Amino acid sequence: MMHQQGSLMPPLLGDVFCQCRAGETHRGVDPGGGGGRAADPSSAAPSKPVPVAGDWHSDSGQSAHPCDICGGPEQEHRLKVLFQVLDVNGDGGICINDLTIGLKKLGVHRTEHELMKIVKAGDKDLDGQLDFEEFVHYLRDHEKKLRLVFKSLDKKNDGRIDSQEIMQSLRDLGVNISEEQAEQILKSMDKNGTMTIDWNEWRDYHLLHPADNIPEIILYWKHSTIFDVGESLMVPDEFTEEEKKTGMLWRHLVAGGGAGAVSRTCTAPLDRLKVLMQVHSSKSNSMQITGGFVQMIREGGVRSLWRGNGINVIKIAPESAIKFMAYEQIKRLIGSNHETLGITERLVAGSLAGVIAQSSIYPMEVLKTRLALRKTGQYSGILDCAKQICQKEGIAAFYKGYVPNMLGIIPYAGIDLAVYETLKNSWLQRFAIDSPDPGVFVLLACGTTSSTCGQLASYPLALVRTRMQAQATLEGGPQMNMTALFRHIIRTEGPKGLYRGLAPNFMKVIPSVSISYVVYEYLKIALGVQSK
């Protein structure tokens, strides 16, 4: 599983990095922390340690003695020295070629893919290289992520990791290794021969190794699996290799599907009201929320509030399964052999997977709209509805509104993912000290905000899709394509007409997210999902 590699720090490092007096190892913040799941064993993949780029605190949390790097007056000077060593051509920026040559001088080897991820993660102005400010920001942000992993491994909370803690952490993930294998992992990082790893050794070893989505963060920040707002256009969540190998992945998906079913059923009246307002509301026939509910109950009784919910729940399972399997296959086609993708790759893979899944189950989307709009006695059930559509309108009717639905995936998935990742990274940088676990309220707030932004961006396309699906039910109504329908709405109702039904749609976001989260957590326990 692991092979041993020399652990001595290259001699050149002594000229560049902090060496505390009398041969003592300077200790940073004691990152010992309690439970939590361990990082993937591949995060300890053998390579050589990278020099310390900054150590800002002492064990007690107070300022350390003013050594060269560790928060003293020479800190910036030392960081500049490191920057100059890596800036091989001296142009004031570190590119991939500079990193390759500079790290080799320091006796450190990283693959080209890893170096590309480092530059991409820190390159804020997108010029293809890291200037000094970007370099320092990347190191500090990366060190914080490394500290979270260290804390999850340090189960004794003593500031050191031994072979038993590595074995226990991996055992919690369903990965069994021998003590000899655990010792080999330790030896690859242990610089002083103690057969334990302190924070400095851990950080030096991994500092210039990319870690965009460390397993601890993946475990706690599930998004599309947990939250269901009635639309299934989100980019699928990432899962760690351990979750895939141990079968926890499918338990997560089953729990997410069950949570979605309960959430959609609880908020079905608001969803049906949204569909009615999208199709029937206009300038001359303004439908209000209260009046809409009264109208539905008068026409079909209280049970009519749940029309269309059955098919809406049934389509969760095939859509989720198809989308996840397509997502995993597209990741392989993209050529990523790594556990997680970057945000751009995730958006591309997630959007394509969404197109495949939506194409597969789209007739169910049309049935859901027709059943939600039906009058009492019009259809006896789902199969009768499908039969009547097929007989009267032909097979093509099952794909009405297909184009705007597919186009809506990109703004919805893109904005939802971007907002969620931005909020997640902001919280991790500012508040993640002992664990990347954000807690229920932060997770709900991030999920609600990102879903709302995604829905707002794609809502006009969703409205046009629904109207196209319902055109045949409107007696004497025009049968228009997507472009003509957009123009018709703008001409007759103005831009506001593209947002009919937005109020009940947003009213169901918070209860949908909250209900799906609570049910998801309950089902996780019932299914034996180990998430921590």
Side-chain angles (χ1 to χ4, degrees):
M1 178 178 176
M2 295 288 174
H3 62 276
Q4 184 175 350
Q5 183 168 318
S7 59
L8 293 176
M9 189 175 282
L12 179 60
L13 302 189
D15 298 329
V16 183
F17 304 104
C18 170
Q19 300 293 322
C20 292
R21 63 178 180 272
E24 295 174 354
T25 301
H26 179 72
R27 302 285 297 278
V29 168
D30 178 359
R37 287 181 62 178
D40 183 89
S42 64
S43 68
S47 60
K48 290 189 179 181
V50 175
V52 180
D55 203 4
W56 294 285
H57 305 281
S58 68
D59 286 334
S60 63
Q62 304 298 322
S63 297
H65 62 276
C67 92
D68 293 332
I69 286 296
C70 313
E74 298 296 323
Q75 177 184 0
E76 185 173 351
H77 170 70
R78 291 293 185 176
L79 290 173
K80 285 181 179 178
V81 172
L82 172 57
F83 183 82
Q84 289 166 1
V85 170
L86 296 177
D87 181 17
V88 176
N89 56 13
D91 63 352
I94 299 175
C95 62
I96 294 173
N97 186 57
D98 288 337
L99 275 178
T100 303
I101 299 172
L103 289 176
K104 281 183 179 177
K105 286 183 180 179
L106 300 177
V108 178
H109 176 72
R110 294 284 182 258
T111 67
E112 183 178 357
H113 182 83
E114 290 170 342
L115 297 179
M116 288 175 62
K117 291 186 76 174
I118 290 171
V119 173
K120 187 176 179 181
D123 184 16
K124 302 300 182 184
D125 56 10
L126 303 178
D127 62 353
Q129 61 182 6
L130 305 179
D131 58 30
F132 179 68
E133 184 179 346
E134 290 171 332
F135 179 69
V136 172
H137 184 273
Y138 169 79
L139 290 179
R140 288 177 175 170
D141 179 55
H142 189 64
E143 179 177 330
K144 195 161 194 176
K145 293 178 180 178
L146 292 177
R147 184 176 283 118
L148 293 174
V149 180
F150 187 93
K151 283 177 172 289
S152 73
L153 288 165
D154 181 19
K155 296 187 178 298
K156 297 177 183 175
N157 198 21
D158 60 359
R160 308 187 77 83
I161 300 172
D162 59 29
S163 60
Q164 293 299 318
E165 286 172 317
I166 290 179
M167 291 174 66
Q168 179 60 48
S169 294
L170 294 181
R171 193 177 298 119
D172 291 344
L173 297 173
V175 178
N176 293 311
I177 63 172
S178 66
E179 188 168 358
E180 181 181 356
Q181 289 174 317
E183 288 176 355
Q184 287 179 340
I185 295 174
L186 282 175
K187 286 178 183 178
S188 65
M189 290 180 270
D190 182 22
K191 293 183 291 187
N192 54 16
T194 61
M195 287 307 294
T196 60
I197 306 165
D198 63 18
W199 162 238
N200 286 321
E201 290 171 321
W202 173 266
R203 179 201 51 211
D204 294 354
Y205 188 88
H206 290 289
L207 194 58
L208 282 175
H209 191 288
D212 297 326
N213 250 333
I214 61 174
E216 279 283 292
I217 295 175
I218 295 173
L219 293 170
Y220 285 114
W221 287 84
K222 293 285 189 289
H223 177 35
S224 64
T225 309
I226 299 177
F227 302 125
D228 188 294
V229 292
E231 299 282 354
S232 300
L233 305 181
M234 297 180 188
V235 174
D237 283 320
E238 293 289 311
F239 289 89
T240 66
E241 286 301 319
E242 286 68 36
E243 286 177 308
K244 295 174 185 177
K245 290 175 183 177
T246 59
M248 291 298 164
L249 179 157
W250 292 106
R251 297 187 191 185
H252 273 289
L253 293 179
V254 170
V262 175
S263 172
R264 293 185 186 193
T265 300
C266 291
T267 58
L270 284 168
D271 190 65
R272 187 180 179 221
L273 177 61
K274 177 195 75 174
V275 173
L276 288 172
M277 293 178 72
Q278 286 178 330
V279 175
H280 296 302
S281 184
S282 63
K283 271 188 175 181
S284 58
N285 180 32
S286 180
M287 182 184 292
Q288 303 300 321
I289 293 175
T290 304
F293 278 123
V294 170
Q295 181 179 325
M296 285 190 288
I297 293 172
R298 280 179 180 171
E299 193 277 330
V302 175
R303 287 185 62 186
S304 69
L305 297 176
W306 276 267
R307 283 178 184 170
N309 182 61
I311 191 71
N312 197 31
V313 169
I314 290 171
K315 71 186 180 71
I316 291 175
E319 184 173 14
S320 299
I322 293 170
K323 182 160 69 171
F324 180 77
M325 289 188 288
Y327 182 66
E328 290 298 307
Q329 291 301 317
I330 292 168
K331 281 170 63 176
R332 294 189 181 94
L333 290 175
I334 288 176
S336 175
N337 296 320
H338 296 263
E339 187 170 297
T340 60
L341 300 178
I343 187 169
T344 304
E345 294 170 314
R346 284 192 66 198
L347 177 58
V348 171
S351 297
L352 289 175
V355 168
I356 293 171
Q358 284 282 301
S359 298
S360 302
I361 59 93
Y362 192 76
M364 300 175 80
E365 292 279 359
V366 175
L367 287 172
K368 179 228 171 188
T369 298
R370 294 293 182 89
L371 289 166
L373 293 170
R374 80 180 189 270
K375 296 179 181 178
T376 302
Q378 185 174 357
Y379 305 121
S380 61
I382 296 172
L383 293 178
D384 182 54
C385 178
K387 181 180 177 181
Q388 288 194 39
I389 292 174
C390 190
Q391 289 176 344
K392 296 177 181 178
E393 305 171 53
I395 298 296
F398 289 107
Y399 282 89
K400 286 186 175 180
Y402 176 81
V403 174
N405 186 71
M406 296 302 120
L407 292 177
I409 290 175
I410 297 174
Y412 187 106
I415 291 176
D416 174 73
L417 179 64
V419 171
Y420 191 78
E421 289 295 313
T422 299
L423 293 173
K424 179 185 80 174
N425 290 329
S426 177
W427 187 90
L428 287 170
Q429 289 176 14
R430 295 187 181 189
F431 303 109
I433 299 174
D434 296 325
S435 167
D437 183 3
V440 57
F441 293 111
V442 172
L443 202 60
L444 289 176
C446 292
T448 301
T449 303
S450 64
S451 296
T452 300
C453 292
Q455 287 190 340
L456 185 62
S458 64
Y459 195 83
L461 286 163
L463 181 138
V464 169
R465 172 202 67 193
T466 303
R467 286 202 180 181
M468 290 180 71
Q469 291 172 340
Q471 279 179 347
T473 65
L474 303 176
E475 296 180 5
Q479 302 294 305
M480 293 179 282
N481 61 26
M482 180 183 73
T483 306
L485 189 52
F486 262 115
R487 289 174 179 168
H488 175 74
I489 293 172
I490 294 293
R491 186 177 65 254
T492 59
E493 303 177 46
K496 185 179 178 181
L498 295 171
Y499 290 90
R500 300 285 182 191
L502 187 64
N505 184 70
F506 279 176
M507 285 173 64
K508 72 185 181 72
V509 171
I510 292 179
S512 293
V513 168
S514 303
I515 293 168
S516 60
Y517 178 83
V518 171
V519 177
Y520 175 80
E521 289 296 313
Y522 176 80
L523 290 176
K524 272 203 319 182
I525 296 172
L527 293 169
V529 174
Q530 300 172 0
S531 62
K532 298 184 181 181

